[in-house]
Amino acid sequence: MTKWSHAGSPLFSSSRQGLTLSGGRLSFHSVSVLFPPELVVGASAFLGAIVGSFLNVCIYRLPRGQSVCRPARSFCPGCRKTIPWWENIPLVSWVWLRGRCSNCGVSISPRYFLVELLTALLFAGVAACADPSHLWLMVPQWVFVAILLVATFVDLEHLIIPDEITWGGVVAGLVFSFGLPELHGVSGRAEGFAAALLGAFAGYGLLWGVVEGGRLLFGRKKISYAPPVEVVWTRNGEEAVLSVGEEEMVWGEFFFRGTERLQMKVMRSEVDGLALGPGEFQWGLNEVRMEGRVFDLNQVHQIRLGAEWIVFPREAMGFGDVKFLAAIGAFLGWKAVLFTVVAASTLGAIVGMLLLILRKHRSVIPFGPYLALGAFLWMAAGPLLVDAYWRWVGFAMAR
């Protein structure tokens, strides 16, 4: 029977062993006298709230292709006015302003308060439960928590996970694992780097296989309509919406990779009031081709069609999830990758069933948040849960 043990240092640990004084280095007991645990936890929560404010900047700007450094000061998404420092105090300002901009009165999403609160709580949790003999591991754990939070909230809102988070997370995991090999429960730098590299390859390879297999099995879906269905493509600011009959879909949901194609045979067509007649439409993310003519969708406001059939591209999941799991593997190792996928799939299935029961259906359900939850679960109690599972399997087989 296989018994798993955690290869790295868990986020939440009950260990409270003190450091020994060696080579003139300051012991943990001495540090705890100077800085009581309560003060360390409180300071970590304070730091987390500040970091959470920056994470909100990342969540807003990264999916829009904006710099997280310029402008340096936060601004209202409604009126674009620079927010003064006294209105940008983490947690406090959102409550004080009742979730509204003081200049234009536009509503500020509760997500800003939630991200700051979650970051503060998780940073405090890292400090409260850190292994005293590995206090320096709080730094990569804090970075990893930040990566998981940004990926979760961006994916929930935009159905993407930016490369700055995924590939950036892989690089950060490799660097931290080389500098702090204790992150993977080893002492040598080469061993730590190898463990992170194996975890990254395991994470990428596992979901890459799922994506490619899903594309081969379910990559395209053709739907015929009799009589022709009314299709309307409409740009709404930075986003676009495709309406097929009474069903409305976000345009970006069809283009996980950006190279997919959506095909239509139409009986009539109209582009911004220009009648084009019947023919076949070949849609890309940013352009549409019709009988030799090419239209830049960034310059088009509305397209109206009467479609006989539509071929929809379909993916099992986006490649952002593949790269995200690689980042998780770089920080936590290959065993955590397997656990994360199983936990994320289980949680996703449960939530999906609940949404069906409640009749709240989305054409695409983001998988990134479930991967993040699976990673959090591994850090909190993954090895214990795996051991409990194998004990249950052994008990069940023995009956």
Side-chain angles (χ1 to χ4, degrees), residues 54 133 145 174 241 243 271 300 332-333 385 389:
F54 174 72
S133 62
V145 164
L174 293 174
V241 173
S243 299
V271 178
V300 173
L332 301 181
L385 291 173
Y389 170 77

Side-chain angles (χ1 to χ4, degrees), residues 86-248:
W86 60 87
E87 292 184 359
N88 202 25
I89 301 173
L91 297 175
V92 176
S93 293
W94 191 90
V95 175
W96 176 42
L97 295 171
R98 298 180 181 179
R100 293 190 175 277
C101 173
S102 63
N103 183 61
C104 66
V106 69
S107 177
I108 305 298
S109 171
R111 184 256 296 166
Y112 287 85
F113 180 85
L114 180 60
V115 169
E116 291 169 357
L117 179 62
L118 284 175
T119 311
L121 292 175
L122 290 169
F123 272 42
V126 169
C129 302
D131 185 344
S133 62
H134 296 87
L135 288 179
W136 51 86
L137 292 181
M138 289 193 300
V139 175
Q141 289 166 355
W142 283 339
V143 171
F144 188 54
V145 164
I147 288 172
L148 294 180
L149 287 174
V150 173
T152 294
F153 284 93
V154 171
D155 203 16
L156 283 172
E157 185 173 348
H158 298 276
L159 297 173
I160 61 171
I161 306 178
D163 285 346
E164 292 88 343
I165 298 301
T166 55
W167 288 129
V170 172
V171 172
L174 293 174
V175 170
F176 278 123
S177 298
F178 179 79
L180 297 171
E182 298 89 349
L183 193 63
H184 293 275
V186 297
S187 57
R189 295 183 187 276
E191 292 176 279
F193 185 82
L197 196 62
L198 177 60
F201 273 112
Y204 190 94
L206 180 61
L207 282 197
W208 179 86
V210 173
V211 169
E212 289 301 312
R215 184 175 64 85
L216 292 174
L217 293 174
F218 312 108
R220 298 168 68 83
K221 179 181 180 181
K222 182 176 180 179
I223 302 178
S224 300
Y225 302 93
V229 68
E230 178 76 11
V231 176
V232 181
W233 182 94
T234 307
R235 172 162 298 283
N236 185 15
E238 297 180 356
E239 304 290 344
V241 173
L242 181 71
S243 299
V244 180
E246 296 182 355
E247 186 174 4
E248 188 174 278

Side-chain angles (χ1 to χ4, degrees), residues 55 80 102 115 127 255 297 333 384 390:
L55 297 187
R80 316 296 287 186
S102 63
V115 169
F255 301 94
L297 292 179
L384 295 176
W390 284 118

Side-chain angles (χ1 to χ4, degrees), residues 335-392:
K335 292 181 180 180
V337 164
L338 299 180
F339 178 91
T340 297
V341 170
V342 173
S345 301
T346 303
L347 292 169
I350 293 172
V351 173
M353 290 177 63
L354 290 175
L355 291 176
L356 287 175
I357 293 172
L358 297 174
R359 297 183 180 180
K360 294 182 179 294
H361 175 67
R362 291 185 66 176
S363 56
V364 176
I365 299 176
F367 194 53
Y370 298 109
L371 290 174
L373 283 172
F376 276 126
L377 191 57
W378 171 263
M379 292 188 295
L384 295 176
L385 291 173
V386 172
D387 288 342
Y389 170 77
W390 284 118
R391 285 196 298 270
W392 176 81

Side-chain angles (χ1 to χ4, degrees), residues 15-21 26-30 32 131-134:
S15 171
R16 283 296 175 188
Q17 301 172 359
L19 288 173
T20 58
L21 187 61
L26 192 63
S27 71
F28 174 72
H29 297 297
S30 301
S32 65
D131 185 344
S133 62
H134 296 87

